[in-house]
Amino acid sequence: MKLGVRPNPLRLKQDLPALCAWLGTHGFDSIDLQTPSAEAAGLCRAHGLEPGSFDLPGIPTISSPDPGKRRDTAAALCQGLDEAASLGLTTWFVCFAPEDRGRSRAENFGFWADAFPAVAEHAATCGIRIAMEGWPGPGPQYPTLGCTPEMWRAMFAVPGTDALGLCFDPSHLVRLG
């Protein structure tokens, strides 16, 4: 077992060098990266830490109702995956919060299913797995895709999404009842 930290939601990322130094001297094995960068990966490794998962910007627009935005986002995500792979990173962390949180999950899922399989296929060719966290998003609508077992089944059934997996956090299911 490896012990790591995901600093993004905790605002621990504000002083990454100090955080990496502290983690490295206190028995931690890895730290997740906000973005795939050579500087951040090198900083981790300099303190004896493995770079953990990484984030990429633009996730909401992968399920945009605008096909042009979806296409541009898919291209940008593939470019980010190429950069991450060149740094030896292997796990992309993602919550699929949609661009338009007022639309139904079914409608946003259709947009996602149109654009995301090409990105997932690209991730697989780069040797990168996608760790989808089931954070439901803000209430009362909880619009994030991939936050229920029913939605997981639908997403995993979309052809081309073999690189997609779960970053399982059961506390999110409790929130949903």
Side-chain angles (χ1 to χ4, degrees):
M1 180 174 82
K2 294 182 180 183
L3 184 60
V5 171
R6 179 152 180 82
N8 291 1
L10 303 177
R11 308 243 192 290
L12 296 173
K13 64 182 181 255
Q14 293 173 355
D15 188 352
L16 189 60
L19 177 60
C20 286
W22 188 91
L23 293 171
T25 60
H26 287 87
F28 287 80
D29 300 298
S30 71
I31 182 171
D32 294 341
L33 305 178
Q34 187 174 8
T35 57
S37 76
E39 180 183 355
L43 182 62
C44 293
R45 292 179 178 122
H47 291 286
L49 302 169
E50 292 178 29
S53 69
F54 61 90
D55 297 351
L56 289 174
I59 289 304
T61 52
I62 200 69
S63 61
S64 172
D66 179 336
K69 281 186 178 181
R70 291 195 304 270
R71 183 180 54 251
D72 292 348
T73 298
L77 291 172
C78 288
Q79 183 178 357
L81 291 166
D82 288 339
E83 181 181 342
S86 75
L87 299 171
L89 305 179
T90 59
T91 307
W92 174 23
F93 176 90
V94 63
C95 291
F96 290 110
E99 180 182 60
D100 184 348
R101 295 177 178 195
R103 290 184 185 272
S104 71
R105 265 200 218 132
E107 195 171 9
N108 282 323
F109 172 74
F111 300 138
W112 176 90
D114 173 62
F116 194 75
V119 177
E121 288 173 355
H122 189 79
T125 65
C126 292
I128 293 175
R129 297 285 300 163
I130 304 163
M132 167 180 58
E133 185 176 21
W135 173 71
Q141 71 272 39
Y142 304 115
T144 303
L145 302 177
C147 68
T148 67
E150 296 81 9
M151 176 98 335
W152 297 331
R153 281 190 286 276
M155 294 171 93
F156 293 141
V158 173
T161 60
D162 295 340
L164 184 62
L166 287 177
C167 174
F168 187 62
D169 183 338
S171 71
H172 297 317
L173 293 174
V174 171
R175 227 176 115 201
L176 292 169

